[in-house]
Amino acid sequence: AVGVLLKIDQATHNGNFGHFAQVLVDINLKNPLLDSIQVESEDECRFVHLCYERLPNFCSTCSSIGHVPSNCYHNKPKEDKEKITKKSEGSAPK
């Protein structure tokens, strides 16, 4: 399963969507994103390619939304972490 279905447009619901269907799905970004799913109808079974829109930046290292692993604090070398910590301590209000 891709995720929890939240909304489906009327054309898709009626089966009148032609080559494209659009649905709003709540997905868990901790799981890998699928590139296709198998869809069964009354008379056939086929694979459907998936496209994702408006995905936020997600860090698989710390499971946070808002940055990617290459920018994650947890992936920085120890020396860089110490500099960041000292810099933030020096700018704290007194």
Side-chain angles (χ1 to χ4, degrees):
V2 176
V4 178
L5 179 65
L6 300 177
K7 190 175 181 180
I8 187 167
D9 69 305
Q10 196 62 39
T12 302
H13 185 265
N14 294 337
N16 300 326
F17 53 85
H19 294 285
F20 299 94
Q22 191 170 28
V23 294
L24 177 63
V25 179
D26 184 25
I27 59 175
N28 183 346
L29 293 174
K30 290 182 181 179
N31 298 330
L33 297 177
L34 301 175
D35 60 353
S36 63
I37 57 172
Q38 189 173 0
V39 177
E40 295 180 37
S41 63
E42 295 173 4
D43 57 344
E44 65 180 317
C45 184
R46 60 183 155 169
F47 283 94
V48 176
H49 176 72
L50 300 175
C51 293
Y52 298 91
E53 297 177 350
R54 300 186 197 127
L55 283 175
N57 287 333
F58 180 74
C59 179
S60 55
T61 303
C62 66
S63 299
S64 294
I65 293 175
H67 64 274
V68 293
S70 61
N71 293 335
C72 185
Y73 173 81
H74 299 286
N75 289 334
K76 302 283 183 201
K78 186 177 179 180
E79 301 82 39
D80 289 350
K81 287 182 184 179
E82 290 171 358
K83 288 178 188 175
I84 293 169
T85 304
K86 287 178 183 176
K87 193 174 190 179
S88 64
E89 287 174 356
S91 63
K94 296 181 181 183

